[in-house]
Amino acid sequence: MKSPLLFLRRSLTALCLVLPASSLAQEGDAPETPGQTPGQPQPQAAGKAPEADFPPANKVLEGFRKIVSTSDGAPGLYTLYVRDKDQQIYAEVPKDFAKQRHFIALTVASGEAYAGLQAGDYYVYWRQFDKRLALVQPNLEMRSTGDQESKDSVQRLFTDRVLLDVPIVTVIPKGGPVIDLDALLVEQASKFFGPQANGIQKLFTLKTVKSFPQNIEVGIEVPMANGQLRTLHYSISNIVANKEYKPRVADERVGYFVTNYNDLGKFEEDQTAVRYINRWHLEKADPSLKLSPPKEPIVFYIEHTTPVRYRRWVADGLLMWNDAFERVGLVNAIEVRFQDSKSGAHMDKDPEDVRHNFIRWLSNGAGTAIGPSRTNPETGQILDADIILTDGWIRHWWTQYNKLLPQLAMEGFDAQTLSWLEEHPEWDPRLRLASPVEREQILADRAQQQGRSLGGHPLASLDSTLLGDQEFDGLSGRVSQVNGLCMAANCKTHGLAAMRMQLDILAAEQGEAESGEGDGKKEDEQVIDGIPEAFIGPLLADLVAHEVGHTLGLRHNFKGSSILGLEEINSESTKGARPFAGSVMDYLPVNIRVAAGACQGDYAMVGIGPYDIWAIEYGYSFENDLKPILQRSSEKELRFATDEDTWGPDPLARRYDFSSDPLEYARDQMMLVKELRSKLLDKYVKDGDTWARARRGYLLTLATQLNSVSMMANWVGGAHVYRHKKGDPNSGAPIEVVPADQQRRALAFVVENALDSNSFGLTPEILQYLTIDKWWDAGNMSEDPTWPVHDRILGIQASALTAVMNPTTLQRIYDNEFRLPPDQDALTLPELLDTLSAAVWKQLDGLDAGMTFTARKPLIQSFDRNLQREYLERLTDLVLTSSSFTAAYKPISDLANMNLREIQRRIDAVKEHDGLDPYSRSHLQESSRRIAKALEAGLILEARNR
């Protein structure tokens, strides 16, 4: 029999893990002393050893030179000593180290494509154990602001963690202990930078050694485990309690990154989980003024590696946010400085130094932008931010569409759907849209990872130690959230590619020999890197503003694109006059309008949106009562949905969509697709061009088409989800089923633009030209130079079927039927399956007795035969669905069974038609046989489950 005490202990532990996630803690309800966990005494040295126990300092430091980095010779946080002959570096730790909290900020400064990206951080203190110093990470997840008994208990149960330790080599008379900094930063680099830094302690070169009163900067070049030379930069600073900073409680109606902990001294369910928003400490220089400069502005330095031709646009994106800060009474809250190698301006500042915020430019050929920050994990105060911009989205290397297409098709899939795909790989767009030569490897890799948590959803494999690897880096596994990965540049890359394609076609139509010699633009129009500056400049400013928003504490808002209709976006009243979206924190596509006679609106945001202004008002307002600000959340322009909402049922919580009616946008995108395809061969590919250009251009249009189909599939079974709270003005229920008419129109779009093979615009003429360049260094030698048309089109169609027939979507449709009163119109499961069946098997209707078909002109074309087989397999899987998958399995299975029987009836009525061609006859006969087998298997499974 299990011990009652053990059972109680486990129950209490489980209770701690499932405490409610909401918090009503008030502003200022912070830890008792910033820099100290409530209830815990400051760490004390574990018995300081006398100086006589160590070799004399003058002997140990013989041959070393002292590092002085300040102009006035002021001592640094650590006193650093370097011996140049062997690159040895010692550090004197402050003698009062036991009372200090330090922040270790990590950056890979060189040696990789994303060098300069913040790599993680540690909040630590030193603790002495005899002749060794241990670097200790305090427990911040569990705290107590309750009675003393609660504080004592939390301190005893949730202890701190030793990260590593180093020997004390000597003690400075009347000073502090001296440690071997190499032993810390080189020999134990893998503790900070991960396993790739294992075994690097033999060869290293000191690249940066600086010591300032509040921080030290040490950069060490080392060969990594694979031999690649990298510079690992450590910025170690002293965290001093800021008594003027008041933490601000987070609210789910407005999207901030948060610093969170569990307060086990509270017993109200809405007070145990404490969340503070991450924000900068800004104060008015003169509080009596309605508009005042800040005491200390947020200063960003634009790194000297940023091309001069783009610097003003980077600055414009950065300074867009000053409009929001003026609304709360701060003038020029953000300032910009230009680092310049020619003039020497600000070249003394290291971008990795936590005292300085940088916008860094990486010439790596990749299309990425990311804006992480570093935060005091006690309070949520932002300490440092660095944005990286890469040149790839502007340079526009041709996207590998065999990688992009699966990503577009998977957009919005939740963990339940991913689990289904694990069990049914033939449904998986990542497999169906992969290159044929890659599929076996994908299946082999998956077999080695059987039973992946959450079906392999990114949430199940987060590692926030190093940033920039995974979609939700920085959001989980940390006390303070940060922006660990951002894909806002992705849609900019695709939009830029489409614009380049249009410009090339326009140049050809105007008789230009080369697109770079005019590109159909006015002679006095500024062109940079082959693109009109009036186009690329605002796009860059838009992208920078997005990343700056992250560094101010803001998360993504994927409902930001939904405030205006497409006509209003592209109107003279909006163009240049106001932002066309509610938030720059959305992933906003490039606004390229195709409709004849329509006004071409702004290609990108011309400022931050109303949601952004409102979010800054909540985060940085000096008002004591924030309730009136929050109660505006139900306003259409202020609606908020973030990353985790994208795998929910709300179709407006979507990346890469646009306008308040995305169906209108999707139709406009298909007009663009048809326009580009119509001129692919004669206008886009010019004399002297490789014909691989035709293939790249077609794949670009195919990606646009798939994104539109995937976007509209989200509306089927959808429900709008709102974050407003009871009592907020003009707010209704938090869940609102998408009107049936909108769902039907979205489903019709999917049918028309994915299941109808004519929508792909393929002809024998076009297929003759869709080839590849044959270069070994291009990495495409495994690709078929004759584009595998049937495999690729079926992959798109199979992905569309997955989007509208996966059990999660079917379950949502079934649940929505019950959410609505019986007298209210609703899209039902029978209607969905009937609509799909009618579209897929349309050739079986209207077949007259006198009609005849041949193998060259069959009744059912090859694309349609493939689609019909695919559809039968999907229905069969639903018939054989395990009862453990979902409560809706039985009606889904029964309806799939009924649809199979109806299809079989229709097939049997025409399969012996005298005029059938051999392809269609054999296909129909085999389809009927497969249906019979599926129905038989369904009966057997049902009998077993009884």
Side-chain angles (χ1 to χ4, degrees):
M1 184 175 182
K2 293 184 178 179
S3 163
L5 180 60
L6 177 60
F7 176 78
L8 178 60
R9 182 181 302 164
R10 290 178 175 173
S11 299
L12 289 174
T13 301
L15 178 62
C16 291
L17 295 176
V18 300
L19 284 171
S22 61
S23 168
L24 292 181
Q26 298 301 309
E27 178 169 336
D29 186 16
E32 294 175 344
T33 304
Q36 178 182 357
T37 302
Q40 289 188 346
Q42 293 282 7
Q44 299 296 321
K48 182 178 179 181
E51 296 172 11
D53 291 349
F54 297 94
N58 59 345
K59 292 291 185 182
V60 173
L61 297 176
E62 188 174 346
F64 285 78
R65 61 183 176 89
K66 183 178 178 180
I67 300 297
V68 179
S69 304
T70 54
S71 58
D72 59 359
L77 173 64
Y78 292 3
T79 303
L80 302 180
Y81 303 90
V82 173
R83 189 166 58 199
D84 295 314
K85 67 176 183 179
D86 58 1
Q87 299 289 282
Q88 182 72 46
I89 178 172
Y90 283 168
E92 178 193 351
V93 177
K95 62 181 179 180
D96 59 346
F97 64 87
K99 298 179 181 179
Q100 295 184 350
R101 294 290 173 104
H102 293 169
F103 198 84
I104 302 179
L106 309 172
T107 308
V108 177
S110 71
E112 66 177 22
Y114 291 96
L117 174 63
Q118 292 183 359
D121 50 66
Y122 288 88
Y123 184 63
V124 296
Y125 64 87
W126 288 108
R127 180 175 175 182
Q128 185 171 341
F129 292 85
D130 194 23
K131 295 184 178 183
R132 302 187 70 84
L133 282 186
L135 197 62
V136 184
Q137 189 174 36
N139 167 64
L140 298 176
E141 293 86 354
M142 299 294 179
R143 314 182 198 179
S144 174
T145 58
D147 54 36
Q148 189 59 47
E149 292 80 4
S150 171
K151 294 177 181 179
D152 291 342
S153 179
V154 168
Q155 180 184 356
R156 182 172 64 87
L157 298 178
F158 302 101
T159 55
D160 299 345
R161 182 169 72 100
V162 173
L163 296 176
L164 50 84
D165 65 281
V166 291
I168 299 172
V169 296
T170 187
V171 175
I172 301 294
K174 297 183 180 181
V178 177
I179 61 172
D180 184 343
L181 209 56
D182 302 340
L184 174 68
L185 305 183
V186 181
E187 294 180 18
Q188 304 198 64
S190 61
K191 300 285 182 65
F192 300 103
F193 288 93
Q196 69 270 28
N198 276 329
I200 65 172
Q201 61 268 27
K202 294 182 180 179
L203 303 174
F204 67 91
T205 302
L206 298 176
K207 304 292 287 187
T208 302
V209 182
K210 299 179 180 179
S211 180
F212 303 102
Q214 291 297 319
N215 63 296
I216 65 168
E217 305 296 319
V218 180
I220 304 172
E221 185 184 61
V222 293
M224 305 302 282
N226 63 356
Q228 181 76 41
L229 285 171
R230 289 183 185 172
T231 299
L232 308 181
H233 191 102
Y234 298 83
S235 183
I236 303 177
S237 57
N238 187 31
I239 300 294
V240 181
N242 183 355
K243 296 181 180 180
E244 301 300 320
Y245 181 81
K246 295 181 179 179
R248 181 157 296 179
V249 172
D251 190 285
E252 64 180 326
R253 289 169 285 187
V254 58
Y256 274 86
F257 296 112
V258 301
T259 291
N260 63 89
Y261 65 91
N262 283 324
D263 187 347
L264 299 183
K266 304 287 187 181
F267 290 90
E268 295 291 333
E269 64 176 2
D270 55 359
Q271 295 181 4
T272 304
V274 178
R275 301 181 186 89
Y276 299 136
I277 66 170
N278 294 347
R279 60 174 183 152
W280 294 87
H281 178 53
L282 290 175
E283 298 177 282
K284 288 184 176 181
D286 185 347
S288 68
L289 295 177
K290 183 178 180 180
L291 287 174
S292 168
K295 282 185 179 180
E296 294 185 17
I298 304 169
V299 178
F300 272 93
Y301 296 88
I302 297 178
E303 192 178 24
H304 68 94
T305 55
T306 306
V308 174
R309 59 192 179 277
Y310 291 122
R311 290 182 187 178
R312 78 177 183 94
W313 296 104
V314 173
D316 283 354
L318 177 67
L319 296 175
M320 280 183 187
W321 288 93
N322 275 338
D323 181 41
F325 283 105
E326 284 191 20
R327 308 293 183 96
V328 298
L330 290 169
V331 181
N332 296 326
I334 301 176
E335 296 183 1
V336 61
R337 308 277 191 274
F338 292 93
Q339 189 186 58
D340 187 72
S341 58
K342 293 181 179 179
S343 66
H346 303 294
M347 292 300 294
D348 59 324
K349 297 177 177 64
D350 297 314
E352 299 83 11
D353 189 327
V354 292
R355 297 174 301 164
H356 309 306
N357 312 305
F358 264 81
I359 296 182
R360 315 191 68 176
W361 187 279
L362 309 183
S363 297
N364 60 6
T368 305
I370 182 171
S373 57
R374 295 183 172 111
T375 304
N376 185 336
E378 297 274 9
T379 62
Q381 180 185 350
I382 297 176
L383 306 172
D384 166 48
D386 294 297
I387 295 169
I388 66 165
L389 305 171
T390 63
D391 66 343
W393 71 279
I394 294 176
R395 178 180 293 161
H396 181 57
W397 296 113
W398 277 101
T399 302
Q400 296 186 30
Y401 284 99
N402 61 328
K403 294 183 179 180
L404 177 62
L405 291 175
Q407 295 173 9
L408 294 174
M410 295 293 293
E411 181 62 34
F413 282 7
D414 65 354
Q416 182 178 354
T417 303
L418 293 179
S419 296
W420 170 264
L421 299 182
E422 289 284 292
E423 298 296 324
H424 301 83
E426 66 278 6
W427 288 58
D428 196 333
R430 293 167 295 187
L431 192 71
R432 301 302 298 268
L433 291 171
S435 171
V437 299
E438 296 175 339
R439 290 176 189 159
E440 291 300 323
Q441 185 60 50
I442 293 174
L443 289 173
D445 293 342
R446 204 171 278 186
Q448 294 180 348
Q449 305 173 19
Q450 288 184 352
R452 291 191 296 175
S453 177
L454 301 181
H457 196 282
L459 278 183
S461 56
L462 286 181
D463 179 8
S464 290
T465 305
L466 300 178
L467 303 179
D469 295 321
Q470 298 168 346
E471 185 176 355
F472 300 103
D473 270 357
L475 295 179
S476 180
R478 304 171 61 97
V479 173
S480 293
Q481 296 175 338
V482 296
N483 174 39
L485 181 64
C486 184
M487 297 181 289
N490 287 16
C491 57
K492 297 288 190 288
T493 298
H494 186 74
L496 180 59
M499 175 54 74
R500 281 185 181 271
M501 193 170 179
Q502 279 191 307
L503 290 174
D504 287 348
I505 290 173
L506 179 61
E509 290 179 334
Q510 294 184 350
E512 297 287 346
E514 295 291 337
S515 64
E517 297 178 3
D519 287 335
K521 300 175 289 298
K522 298 177 182 179
E523 292 184 3
D524 59 349
E525 186 173 24
Q526 179 67 50
V527 176
I528 53 177
D529 296 332
I531 314 169
E533 185 177 17
F535 175 77
I536 193 64
L539 255 63
L540 178 56
D542 180 352
L543 182 61
V544 171
H546 178 102
E547 302 306 334
V548 172
H550 284 315
T551 67
L552 299 176
L554 297 183
R555 294 192 63 186
H556 292 128
N557 181 7
F558 292 122
K559 283 193 175 180
S561 61
S562 63
I563 68 169
L564 297 179
L566 202 60
E567 290 297 329
E568 191 173 4
I569 289 171
N570 291 281
S571 67
E572 296 296 343
S573 61
T574 298
K575 184 177 181 180
R578 58 171 173 160
F580 56 52
S583 176
V584 76
M585 301 311 297
D586 204 337
Y587 286 174
L588 297 170
V590 180
N591 176 37
I592 301 176
R593 195 76 199 274
V594 186
C599 169
Q600 171 61 62
D602 295 312
Y603 294 111
M605 289 279 277
V606 296
I608 60 173
Y611 165 84
D612 305 319
I613 292 171
W614 175 67
I616 292 298
E617 183 182 7
Y618 175 71
Y620 291 89
S621 172
F622 299 105
E623 298 293 332
N624 292 322
D625 184 9
L626 301 176
K627 187 177 180 180
I629 298 174
L630 290 170
Q631 286 186 329
R632 296 181 56 209
S633 66
S634 57
E635 296 176 18
K636 181 181 178 180
E637 292 182 335
L638 307 183
R639 290 171 182 169
F640 163 64
T642 192
D643 296 80
E644 54 268 27
D645 295 306
T646 60
W647 64 75
D650 194 330
L652 290 177
R654 166 86 186 195
R655 304 175 181 93
Y656 315 126
D657 67 347
F658 199 45
S659 87
S660 57
D661 185 359
L663 176 59
E664 184 184 19
Y665 173 64
R667 287 172 175 165
D668 198 73
Q669 288 291 286
M670 287 307 299
M671 291 178 62
L672 172 63
V673 164
K674 292 174 183 177
E675 173 75 10
L676 294 178
R677 286 173 181 169
S678 69
K679 301 174 181 179
L680 184 67
L681 300 183
D682 61 336
K683 297 292 191 298
Y684 182 56
V685 183
K686 304 177 184 65
D687 290 347
D689 284 347
T690 168
W691 281 112
R693 186 175 172 85
R695 180 153 162 175
R696 292 194 294 260
Y698 180 79
L699 288 177
L700 186 152
T701 68
L702 195 61
T704 302
Q705 181 174 354
L706 177 57
N707 183 60
S708 298
V709 169
S710 174
M711 180 198 318
M712 296 321 301
N714 269 19
W715 286 76
V716 179
H720 297 297
V721 180
Y722 305 109
R723 288 174 173 253
H724 55 247
K725 296 185 178 181
K726 184 176 181 179
D728 287 350
N730 303 315
S731 62
I735 298 175
E736 177 188 2
V737 175
V738 172
D741 181 60
Q742 284 185 293
Q743 295 188 56
R744 292 189 183 105
R745 290 190 294 124
L747 180 60
F749 182 91
V750 174
V751 168
E752 179 184 351
N753 294 285
L755 304 189
D756 185 347
S757 58
N758 293 321
S759 68
F760 297 101
L762 289 168
T763 64
E765 180 189 10
I766 286 180
L767 288 171
Q768 292 179 63
Y769 293 96
L770 301 188
T771 188
I772 62 172
D773 286 323
K774 304 292 287 185
W775 293 106
W776 276 106
D777 57 359
N780 64 346
M781 295 302 292
S782 62
E783 289 191 42
D784 191 337
T786 59
W787 192 60
V789 55
H790 286 94
D791 187 81
R792 287 295 185 266
I793 298 305
L794 181 58
I796 299 287
Q797 294 179 320
S799 298
L801 289 177
T802 295
V804 295
M805 290 182 68
N806 69 80
T808 303
T809 297
L810 298 180
Q811 177 181 318
R812 286 173 178 165
I813 294 173
Y814 191 57
D815 288 344
N816 282 347
E817 293 180 43
F818 188 74
R819 287 192 179 95
L820 298 171
D823 60 350
Q824 187 171 334
D825 188 20
L827 178 70
T828 65
L829 284 178
E831 181 181 350
L832 171 75
L833 294 179
D834 288 346
T835 300
L836 293 175
S837 294
V840 172
W841 295 92
K842 61 180 181 291
Q843 295 85 358
L844 301 182
D845 298 325
L847 187 61
D848 294 334
M851 291 181 173
T852 59
F853 304 90
T854 67
R856 293 296 293 137
K857 295 183 178 181
L859 167 66
I860 307 175
Q861 299 290 335
S862 56
F863 288 132
D864 298 318
R865 295 195 300 269
N866 289 342
L867 175 60
Q868 289 169 1
R869 280 191 291 269
E870 186 75 27
Y871 185 66
L872 290 182
E873 291 175 3
R874 300 304 175 93
L875 289 178
T876 299
D877 286 341
L878 294 177
V879 167
L880 303 178
T881 297
S882 169
S883 61
S884 62
F885 187 81
T886 170
Y889 91 94
K890 188 55 177 169
I892 292 173
S893 176
D894 290 346
L895 288 169
N897 187 303
M898 184 177 72
N899 267 260
L900 282 175
R901 293 181 185 278
E902 175 60 20
I903 294 169
Q904 186 180 42
R905 183 193 65 76
R906 295 173 64 195
I907 289 174
D908 290 345
V910 301
K911 69 180 181 181
E912 301 303 332
H913 187 282
D914 291 339
L916 279 185
D917 59 277
Y919 279 124
S920 299
R921 188 184 305 279
S922 61
H923 165 68
L924 293 175
Q925 289 177 350
E926 175 62 16
S927 296
S928 180
R929 187 189 69 82
R930 290 171 66 88
I931 292 174
K933 290 285 188 182
L935 296 174
E936 180 182 355
L939 290 174
I940 296 173
L941 179 63
E942 184 177 0
R944 288 178 178 174
N945 290 336
R946 287 175 182 169

